[in-house]
Amino acid sequence: ESGAEQRGGRFGTQAFGELHRVAGETMLTWPGADVPLPPWLKAAMRRGTGASSSRASHVRFDTPGADAPGLLRLFLRYNLLEDAAQLVSDCLGVDAAENDVLAEHQALSLSAARYTPINLIEQLLARLDLRRAASPDAGGLAAEACAVTVHAALKRWVKLSARESQIVKEWSRDVASAVDEALKSSTASAATSRDAPLALDRVCQQVKDTPFGSRLMRTLRPFGNDAACTTVLHGVCAQMLDRTRASHPLLPSGKHWVDYHRA
């Protein structure tokens, strides 16, 4: 409970990242040890100490309380390129089948801008290319396979990020006034903050009637029924409210709009 623990970093407390990185450095540089990082340390840096192992597939570079970028730096520093490639693939992974537009929209992260250490990923790809060129044997083939995996994950991540950026842009252009109107109406008629779910529903209905909402529904309908498409629209609205209206009289302290979407 020291002052160090209160110094917040982007990926959790500063003390968390420092201690785990020091532990990793010590193990990898111990004279004559030649041992890999233990699974518990990699898991803690990937997902954070309080995360359940069942959420391993949802690890990201900006997972709160974790330090996946620090782990990637360790892998690169000590030439653990296969481990680095697997980490990048996991962090950039999309929980949706290729070309399943409905599932891809459900996997969007709109509440805040994504963070991805592109410079470290580029270093990894360059190192894999060097290993492939220098090793015509099995080592070179393994490096090539890792590079293919990283490129595929990066391609999907870029596609998803572009879609997120487009939604944020269109929301600001087409939707902001309708959202303000819906929230103003909800605030005027609401007696307590317990009306936040009703306000979210009202916002979603308003957004559905905007050009943005119409375009989104037309994009989704070939991949699901009206109820499924409306659920995705509801999730988009909740995340965008968290991004643009995180502080609102209807929103109880410590709550997010997405909490009411998931309820």
Side-chain angles (χ1 to χ4, degrees), residues 132-152:
R132 180 175 52 183
S135 305
D137 54 8
L141 293 176
E144 182 175 5
C146 288
V148 169
T149 299
V150 172
H151 275 297

Side-chain angles (χ1 to χ4, degrees), residues 61 68-70 72-73 76 88 115 117-125:
F61 282 114
L72 180 56
R73 289 187 185 92
L76 290 174
V88 170
Y115 169 77
I118 293 295
N119 59 327
L120 295 179
I121 296 174
E122 289 176 346
Q123 288 181 40
L124 170 61
L125 289 171

Side-chain angles (χ1 to χ4, degrees), residues 102-190:
L102 196 69
E104 286 181 349
H105 275 78
Q106 290 174 319
L108 293 176
S109 179
L110 299 165
S111 297
R114 287 178 183 263
Y115 169 77
T116 298
I118 293 295
N119 59 327
L120 295 179
I121 296 174
E122 289 176 346
Q123 288 181 40
L124 170 61
L125 289 171
R127 299 265 289 278
L128 288 170
D129 284 341
L130 288 174
R131 177 178 289 185
R132 180 175 52 183
S135 305
D137 54 8
L141 293 176
E144 182 175 5
C146 288
V148 169
T149 299
V150 172
H151 275 297
L154 188 59
K155 181 180 178 180
R156 288 209 72 190
W157 175 85
V158 168
K159 177 183 176 183
L160 199 68
S161 294
R163 182 167 292 158
E164 290 168 352
S165 297
Q166 185 65 25
I167 286 176
V168 171
K169 179 181 178 181
E170 292 180 356
W171 181 278
S172 299
R173 185 187 65 204
D174 300 338
V175 176
S177 60
V179 170
D180 287 338
E181 181 181 339
L183 288 177
K184 183 178 179 180
S185 174
S186 298
T187 304
S189 61

Side-chain angles (χ1 to χ4, degrees), residues 67-111:
D67 190 17
L71 181 59
L72 180 56
R73 289 187 185 92
L74 275 179
F75 287 153
L76 290 174
R77 187 172 300 151
Y78 295 98
N79 213 33
L80 302 173
L81 302 187
E82 290 82 2
D83 287 331
Q86 184 61 56
L87 177 63
V88 170
S89 179
D90 290 344
C91 287
L92 300 186
V94 179
D95 292 330
E98 187 75 33
N99 297 321
D100 186 341
V101 175
L102 196 69
E104 286 181 349
H105 275 78
Q106 290 174 319
L108 293 176
S109 179
L110 299 165
S111 297

